[in-house]
């Protein structure tokens, strides 16, 4: 299983590098947020992959802490990204001020909830699963995985809107996969991490398809 997490880390690294190329040419929410998210998931999968080799102790605990901090701060930003992607795809509702305000408020609430549990209330304890050693947050949470689920549903909703508007389905399909596997991730952690790679692939394909300033032939070639 450690090898599988290493493969997932390599996959996220490839996606992060590919997205970083678009950040260089077209910096903005559409490119920067998924690039940062993928970079954070490289660390997440890499630390889990190395956990058994490092062994239980202060070093592994310290390496695990950024996993939760980055998750709490970056994952909710995908709500803003989903709205941006829909707007770039020509979904008219995505540009309306009330929806933008609602997305901003929701993002802030999700960041506050994640910060309260995974940063302020972080309580790490070692956890072993099929030879994989990592530290998990054993602090009680009043919302559980709700912030991640809400974020996933928002991205799915945006993906469906983009699909209906343009016929481009990868974002909706990959988001649906993530939502489905997230329910089983508590019992089978690797499913959640694998689902994140699938979703990140959807991010990359969406950025390639709807990057502002691309010509029609370029957009069709990336579809």
């Amino acid at each position: 299983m450690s090898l599988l997490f290493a493969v997932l880390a390599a996959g996220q690294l490839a996606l992060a590098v590919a997205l970083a190329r678009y950040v260089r040419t077209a910096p903005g929410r559409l490119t920067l947020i998924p690039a940062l998210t993928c970079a954070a998931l490289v660390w997440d999968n890499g630390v889990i992959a190395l956990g058994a080799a490092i062994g239980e102790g202060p070093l592994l605990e310290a390496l695990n802490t950024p996993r939760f901090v980055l998750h709490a701060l970056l994952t909710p930003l995908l709500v803003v990204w989903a709205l941006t992607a829909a707007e770039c795809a020509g979904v008219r509702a995505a540009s309306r001020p009330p929806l933008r305000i609602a997305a901003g408020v929701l993002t802030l609430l999700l960041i506050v909830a994640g910060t309260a549990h995974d940063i302020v209330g972080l309580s790490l304890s070692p956890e072993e699963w099929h030879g994989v050693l990592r530290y998990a947050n054993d602090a009680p949470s009043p919302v559980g995985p709700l912030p991640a689920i809400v974020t996933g549903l928002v991205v799915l909703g945006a993906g469906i809107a983009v699909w209906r508007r343009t016929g481009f389905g990868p974002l909706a399909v990959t988001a649906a996969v993530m939502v489905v596997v997230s329910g089983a991730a508590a019992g089978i952690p690797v499913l959640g991490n694998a689902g994140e790679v699938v979703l990140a692939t959807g991010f990359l394909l969406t950025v390639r398809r709807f990057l502002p300033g691309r010509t029609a032939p370029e957009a069709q070639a990336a579809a």
Side-chain angles (χ1 to χ4, degrees):
M1 281 297 173
S2 294
L3 178 60
L4 181 54
F5 278 100
V7 171
L8 294 175
Q12 289 287 10
L13 179 59
L15 291 166
V17 170
L19 285 162
R21 292 172 53 201
Y22 291 107
V23 174
R24 291 176 58 189
T25 58
R29 292 189 300 269
L30 183 68
T31 56
L32 184 58
I33 291 175
L36 290 175
T37 301
C38 288
L41 291 173
V42 174
W43 182 272
D44 184 74
N45 286 285
V47 168
I48 296 175
L50 294 172
I54 295 172
E56 183 179 332
L59 175 58
L60 185 59
E61 183 176 353
L63 291 173
N64 271 264
T65 299
R67 294 177 48 231
F68 297 92
V69 174
L70 293 171
H71 184 274
L73 297 178
L74 292 180
T75 300
L77 295 180
L78 293 175
V79 172
V80 174
W81 178 85
L83 193 66
T84 301
E87 184 176 358
C88 290
V91 178
R92 293 181 179 179
S95 62
R96 293 174 182 170
L99 189 56
R100 287 185 173 185
I101 294 172
V105 171
L106 178 59
T107 299
L108 182 59
L109 291 175
L110 294 175
I111 290 176
V112 169
T115 299
H117 182 245
D118 287 329
I119 299 179
V120 177
L122 186 62
S123 175
L124 294 178
S125 61
E127 179 180 275
E128 186 174 355
W129 181 77
H130 290 271
V132 174
L133 179 63
R134 63 177 183 170
Y135 276 76
N137 187 5
D138 60 7
S141 171
V143 296
L146 187 60
I149 293 174
V150 169
T151 300
L153 290 174
V154 170
V155 176
L156 175 59
I160 293 173
V162 169
W163 196 347
R164 293 182 61 185
R165 172 66 178 81
T166 68
F168 177 82
L171 181 59
V173 172
T174 55
V177 170
M178 183 71 247
V179 170
V180 170
V181 301
S182 62
I188 310 175
V190 72
L191 283 181
N193 294 68
E196 289 168 346
V197 174
V198 173
L199 180 58
T201 302
F203 295 160
L204 176 59
L205 294 175
T206 302
V207 168
R208 289 178 58 189
R209 177 64 175 81
F210 299 110
L211 192 68
R214 302 193 72 177
T215 63
E218 286 175 327
Q220 291 173 1

